[in-house]
Amino acid sequence: MLSEGLSKDDLTDMINAYCKKVEDAGFIPMVYANRTWLTKYMNLSKISYDVWFAAYPENRVYVPVGGSKTTIWQSSEKGVVKGIKGQVTTEFSWKVYGGGNPSQKNAGKRSSGSNSVSTSSGTSQKTSGNTEKTSTTGSGNGVDGTVVSGEGPGKEAASIENGWVQTVPGQWKYMENGKATTGWKQVNGLWYFMDARGIMQTGWLFQNNLWYYLKDSGAMAVNWQNVNGKWYWLNQDGAMRTGWKFINNLWYYMEESGAMLENTSRTINGVEYRFDANGAWMP
C-alpha cells in the first residue's frame, strides 16, 4: 500500500472501511499497529475504533500515542508462560472484551430473586430482590505494576497504602492498608466492583443471577442507562430490571435482555401492546 503512494487519509479511509465491515458482521474491530504506523500513516482523529498498540520499550514503561483510542498494549514479544514452550507476547488490556452481555439471547434472565406483582391496571411488573454489597480485602500485597497516577475514578487522593491506584493505564485498584479490595466497595457514595485480582470492573457484570452495569468510571449505574443505543433500567440497588416498570405515570416494558421496547408493538401474555418512540406504553 505504501509503495502505491497512498496518502494518510487514503489509508485511514481503508482502515475505517474494513473495520466497518467487521463491525457489520457482528464482530468487534480493532486497529493493530505500532507507533510509526499510528503517527505517520494514520489520521487518528478520524478513527473511532479501539487500538491494539504494539510497543516493546526496554524499561517497560507505557508511553501512549496521543489521539489513539488504545485499549490493549502489547508490551513485549519475549514473555514466558508456564506450560507454553517458547516465548510469547504479553498484553495489557484495560477494557473487557467478550463475556456475558445482556444484549445476548436469554442473557439477564433471572432464575431467582424476583417476583411477579399484580397491579390495578391489569399489567404486571418484575421486582428484583436486593443484593447485599460488602467490601472484602484481598490477600495480595497491593500494587503489582507501575503507579501511573494518584487519582482514581472517585477523584480521591491516593497513595500505595490507601485509595485509588492505577497499576497500568486504565487499570484501577482500591487500596486499604496496602491491600487491594475485592468485591463491592463504596467510595464517596458510589459503588464499584473489583474482581478477585482487585481490578475495578466496567461494563456489564453478572453476579448472583443479577445483571449490573458499571460505567466507564467504574461507578455502578442506577435508573435509566443507555448502552450501545439501547435503554435499560437499573434499580436503586443496581440490579437490571426486566418486565413492566411504572415511571413518572408512564408504563415501560423491558425485555428479558433488559432492553426497553420502543417504537414497536409486542404481544405480552396474550395481549398486544404498543410503545412509542420514547418507550412509553400507548393505551
Side-chain angles (χ1 to χ4, degrees):
M1 291 184 291
L2 297 181
S3 62
E4 295 174 357
L6 295 177
S7 68
K8 179 184 287 190
D9 284 338
D10 290 334
L11 292 171
T12 299
D13 290 342
M14 291 176 66
I15 291 169
N16 284 329
Y18 179 81
C19 287
K20 183 65 165 57
K21 284 287 187 181
V22 173
E23 189 174 42
D24 290 344
F27 299 95
I28 300 175
M30 295 192 72
V31 178
Y32 175 84
N34 59 23
R35 187 178 300 275
T36 299
W37 269 89
L38 289 172
T39 57
K40 189 175 180 180
Y41 301 118
M42 298 182 194
N43 189 341
L44 294 177
S45 65
K46 295 183 178 180
I47 297 177
S48 61
Y49 298 100
D50 292 351
V51 170
W52 191 329
F53 177 42
Y56 308 152
E58 292 184 3
N59 60 3
R60 293 182 59 80
V61 173
Y62 173 75
V63 179
V65 175
S68 70
K69 191 181 176 184
T70 299
T71 56
I72 298 178
W73 171 34
Q74 187 176 91
S75 63
S76 173
E77 59 183 349
K78 298 180 180 179
V80 177
V81 176
K82 186 177 181 180
I84 298 179
K85 185 177 180 180
Q87 296 178 325
V88 299
T89 60
T90 56
E91 326 285 337
F92 290 96
S93 175
W94 40 95
K95 180 176 180 178
V96 177
Y97 290 96
N101 189 317
S103 64
Q104 297 172 349
K105 185 178 180 181
N106 295 327
K109 185 175 182 180
R110 300 173 186 177
S111 58
S112 63
S114 65
N115 60 301
S116 180
V117 180
S118 297
T119 66
S120 58
S121 65
T123 58
S124 64
Q125 67 185 86
K126 294 280 188 178
T127 57
S128 65
N130 291 328
T131 300
E132 183 180 2
K133 302 182 183 69
T134 57
S135 64
T136 57
T137 302
S139 59
N141 60 1
V143 179
D144 57 4
T146 302
V147 178
V148 180
S149 172
E151 287 193 351
K155 302 302 180 185
E156 177 177 318
S159 67
I160 292 179
E161 289 294 319
N162 294 284
W164 290 108
V165 171
Q166 189 173 198
T167 55
V168 296
Q171 189 175 98
W172 292 94
K173 293 185 177 183
Y174 192 83
M175 312 299 290
E176 288 184 337
N177 299 321
K179 294 183 179 180
T181 61
T182 61
W184 289 106
K185 176 66 182 177
Q186 190 177 40
V187 182
N188 296 333
L190 299 174
W191 285 101
Y192 300 82
F193 187 86
M194 271 60 75
D195 67 12
R197 299 168 297 169
I199 298 173
M200 184 197 77
Q201 301 297 289
T202 60
W204 288 107
L205 171 70
F206 189 63
Q207 190 188 45
N208 298 330
N209 292 319
L210 295 172
W211 283 102
Y212 301 84
Y213 188 78
L214 307 172
K215 301 177 183 180
D216 289 343
S217 66
M220 182 191 75
V222 296
N223 300 333
W224 288 116
Q225 181 70 36
N226 189 289
V227 182
N228 296 328
K230 297 287 186 180
W231 285 101
Y232 299 81
W233 178 268
L234 294 310
N235 293 331
Q236 292 304 304
D237 65 358
M240 185 191 76
R241 184 66 169 265
T242 61
W244 290 101
K245 177 66 178 176
F246 191 63
I247 306 171
N248 296 330
N249 295 318
L250 294 172
W251 283 103
Y252 300 84
Y253 189 84
M254 271 61 73
E255 299 181 282
E256 283 190 347
S257 68
M260 180 194 74
L261 290 178
E262 55 184 311
N263 199 29
T264 188
S265 61
R266 184 65 54 86
T267 299
I268 302 171
N269 296 329
V271 179
E272 185 176 11
Y273 298 86
R274 294 183 304 150
F275 302 89
D276 66 18
N278 294 317
W281 169 52
M282 297 185 294

